[in-house]
Amino acid sequence: MGSFPILNPYGADGSAYLDQSANDIPDPDSDEFEIDSDVSDDDLLLLKAALKRTHPIAFKGFLIWYHREHPRAARLNTFESIWKGIRQLYYDKIGVEVNDWLNGPFCNDSGLIRGSLPKHTVGYNGILGALYYHWIFDTEKFLLERDRVQLALFILLLAYTGSRPGAIVESDIVGIRKTNEALKYKDINLTLVRPRSGAAPLLVMKVCIVLDKGKRHRGEHKTLTLYENCVQPLMCPVVYFLALAFADKAFHPKLVEAGLSVHRLHGISCPPGRSMIDFRFREDILETPIFRPSVRGLLGREVDPTRALSSTPIVSWMVRLGERAGFPHRLKPYCLRRDVATSLNDAGIPQPQLLQILGHRKIETYLKHYQSTNVCVDVQANFLGTTSKSDMIKEIGKLCLRQDPNLPRSLTEEQKQQAHNQPEIKQLEHRRDALTQQLKAQFGSIIDGAASPEFSEHKSITGQLYRRKDRARKELFQRVLREFHDTADLNHMVAQLEGKDTLVGVLPQVDYVFDERRRLAVTLFQETTEGSFAQIVEDLVNLCTRQEESGPKKIVQSSINESCSSEPTVDNPGVSAEAMVPVIATLPADCSLMSDKASETQPRFNLLEDIVVESSALQPVTSIHGDSKHGRSRVFARTSTLRKHYENIHFQYQVGPFLCPVPGCSKLIGDRKSFASHAVAVHRNDIGVRATLKESMDRVKKPGRLAAFTL
């Protein structure tokens, strides 16, 4: 067996620690570090003795390095856990010295926070309030509205199964991420149950959790049964799952050919002698994850056919929903998991079943990490011998939602500037600007210097700057929210004692973009019948394919007219149909213009030919444009804005798909923007095809405007 210099590379007294160079440390893969399985007991004793002689400064250096590499580790117990694993052989003076240093100078100099994080729990009332805000008042735009449905199902699965997020969507833990392991259609068994008592049929779904922590690929799994909730469809996981299944066309082709639809789910009868019947999914979709991200397609955003949704985006949506809904703390998956664990324990669930549901091997894990610090036992009533109010005590910590219209939901521009004024951000901006000037002076543009080391540094600093600004904005927004929640009750009491009006206003009415969302804001909160249940699922299925345009969010007190009226009204002082004929004739069939004044001297333009006929008196034009692609109407204050909207949204989809015109390239191009990106990425450095690209861009460029890409 070889020697073991790695065990004590800094000498017995640690004097060589600061002078040790990385090049001086032997390679751990070299032969001198190899050890055979038949190593003698004497050699193992030598190894143990060498470990015992390791100087404390080596461990101190390791903990300092870990703190620098993981700046988000801000609590002392994180480093205590790391040191606890290393200290198994160091209960002598070495362990005492490092332990005293860890809890003393290191903790103080690094600014670590003593104690553990508060163990927040969110129960039924909290989830009900969050989903209430999610479907009625939330104006946050998703890349694809399917994400809104997925978020609701994700929250309910966490609450009803007590699972970790990595058991439902793809985990972001190193070693597991990008493995495409998530809850799949093969893990769901959908059953229609017809009780023999003659009660209404019930849809039941069995969820098989196979990706529990520490049990992956071991064949250990658990199955939980969820069922249809007709009284509260908002809290029904079957509704949201059916929406995703029908949107994915997941049911067996024979069922679809036979006429299976959302309206006929409850009408299927069971075989003789049985009170239940199982639905089957397509064989080729069984390995497909249920939760999937959206990608850019030929006609906008579309759901990825195979890739699983990562836990990072959906947890961030969940946190954002909690902030907007009024939680004083961050709404995270473990808030639900802790409440599930506490509720099951309080209900007297046997310990083996509790461990099975939580996926733990020992009850000590629950006692240490999941048991709430709030004692939910009415000790006062027990001492006095009166009626217990334990139920009230349990709910006190969960009634935390604050539906206040004054609740900050985003940073103001001044606050964003304040967040960006940090010294670290300013240094990165100065360095980025210097590299930008250097690249432009040397190569003419930034992209032309793509092969230079300055370009790589510029790209790296730009990414660092984006991440640092984003983190600074989030940290400031968290401080703003904490300040609001800390002072809201105090301000309310002061105003009440001073005799001022303490009535809290209501949240503003939302002008829903999609009709399906408008109907769901009502039907999800009503007790369902067989017909209304089918309508809810159908609206959710249609919503999964919707995509909202980019632009500012619209929150108004009253909705605008959604169709163009031919007669002028008080709310819509438009011109008559006869006066609008010359203008409408030049527009697509689903577009029309309305002037604020009944006049025929309005500017008339043709979107397709980009011709503007100047009139003697140009007046502001307000147009209501029927957008058939996105299923709604939009209001434009200027004709130029309407023209840009048409070019960016409608015209681009009339160009493609087409093959790349460069000889030898068989790339299928979706639209003119994709062609510009493809030309930059693939053909930019090919001088011989620049003329061809220039001519091609002239053919697909925006009408009346310069092409987005020039060579």
Side-chain angles (χ1 to χ4, degrees), residues 460-579:
S460 175
I461 290 180
T462 302
Q464 294 179 31
L465 185 60
Y466 173 82
R467 292 187 294 271
R468 189 64 188 89
K469 284 184 175 180
D470 183 64
R471 188 172 66 186
R473 290 193 298 268
K474 290 181 179 179
E475 292 174 351
L476 179 58
F477 185 63
Q478 290 296 322
R479 291 200 299 270
V480 171
L481 283 178
R482 284 197 299 269
E483 293 174 0
F484 175 83
H485 287 292
D486 291 342
T487 59
D489 290 341
L490 175 62
N491 295 336
H492 181 81
M493 292 181 184
V494 171
Q496 186 176 3
L497 293 173
E498 293 178 350
K500 298 180 180 179
D501 184 15
T502 58
L503 293 178
V504 179
V506 297
L507 295 175
Q509 178 184 355
V510 177
D511 183 25
Y512 299 110
V513 177
F514 306 112
D515 292 336
E516 294 86 356
R517 174 89 184 277
R518 182 182 295 106
R519 289 193 295 267
L520 288 169
V522 177
T523 55
L524 281 173
F525 300 88
Q526 298 175 346
E527 186 173 353
T528 62
T529 61
E530 191 171 314
S532 60
F533 180 89
Q535 184 61 49
I536 292 175
V537 176
E538 186 175 7
D539 285 339
L540 288 171
V541 172
N542 295 331
L543 189 65
C544 286
T545 61
R546 298 294 191 184
Q547 176 187 350
E548 188 173 352
E549 293 180 22
S550 60
K553 297 183 286 291
K554 296 168 60 179
I555 306 178
V556 297
Q557 295 296 336
S558 60
S559 59
I560 62 171
N561 295 330
E562 300 208 3
S563 60
C564 298
S565 173
S566 59
E567 296 293 333
T569 63
V570 176
D571 296 331
N572 181 21
V575 298
S576 62
E578 292 78 11

Side-chain angles (χ1 to χ4, degrees), residues 134 365 369 372 412 457 496 505 604 652:
H134 179 64
T365 306
H369 300 287
S372 177
T412 63
E457 184 179 358
Q496 186 176 3
R604 304 171 183 175
Q652 63 173 321

Side-chain angles (χ1 to χ4, degrees), residues 297-314:
L298 292 178
L299 300 178
R301 306 295 301 190
E302 58 185 28
V303 63
D304 192 291
T306 58
R307 189 161 58 92
L309 179 65
S310 172
S311 62
T312 301
I314 199 167

Side-chain angles (χ1 to χ4, degrees), residues 514-663:
F514 306 112
D515 292 336
E516 294 86 356
R517 174 89 184 277
R518 182 182 295 106
R519 289 193 295 267
L520 288 169
V522 177
T523 55
L524 281 173
F525 300 88
Q526 298 175 346
E527 186 173 353
T528 62
T529 61
E530 191 171 314
S532 60
F533 180 89
Q535 184 61 49
I536 292 175
V537 176
E538 186 175 7
D539 285 339
L540 288 171
V541 172
N542 295 331
L543 189 65
C544 286
T545 61
R546 298 294 191 184
Q547 176 187 350
E548 188 173 352
E549 293 180 22
S550 60
K553 297 183 286 291
K554 296 168 60 179
I555 306 178
V556 297
Q557 295 296 336
S558 60
S559 59
I560 62 171
N561 295 330
E562 300 208 3
S563 60
C564 298
S565 173
S566 59
E567 296 293 333
T569 63
V570 176
D571 296 331
N572 181 21
V575 298
S576 62
E578 292 78 11
M580 291 299 296
V581 168
V583 177
I584 297 177
T586 63
L587 299 178
D590 59 350
C591 294
S592 60
L593 290 179
M594 288 188 176
S595 172
D596 290 337
K597 296 182 180 180
S599 173
E600 296 186 10
T601 59
Q602 296 296 331
R604 304 171 183 175
F605 60 94
N606 188 325
L607 287 174
L608 299 179
E609 299 179 3
D610 197 26
I611 299 176
V612 177
V613 181
E614 300 292 346
S615 61
S616 57
L618 296 181
Q619 300 174 358
V621 174
T622 299
S623 67
I624 298 182
H625 163 59
D627 188 349
S628 60
K629 175 182 179 293
H630 296 88
R632 68 186 183 98
S633 299
R634 290 195 58 189
V635 176
F636 300 89
R638 299 178 181 176
T639 57
S640 59
T641 308
L642 175 59
R643 181 186 297 112
K644 291 179 181 178
H645 162 76
Y646 184 87
E647 294 169 355
N648 291 329
I649 302 301
H650 298 278
F651 180 76
Q652 63 173 321
Y653 299 111
Q654 299 174 9
V655 177
F658 56 89
L659 292 176
C660 177
V662 177

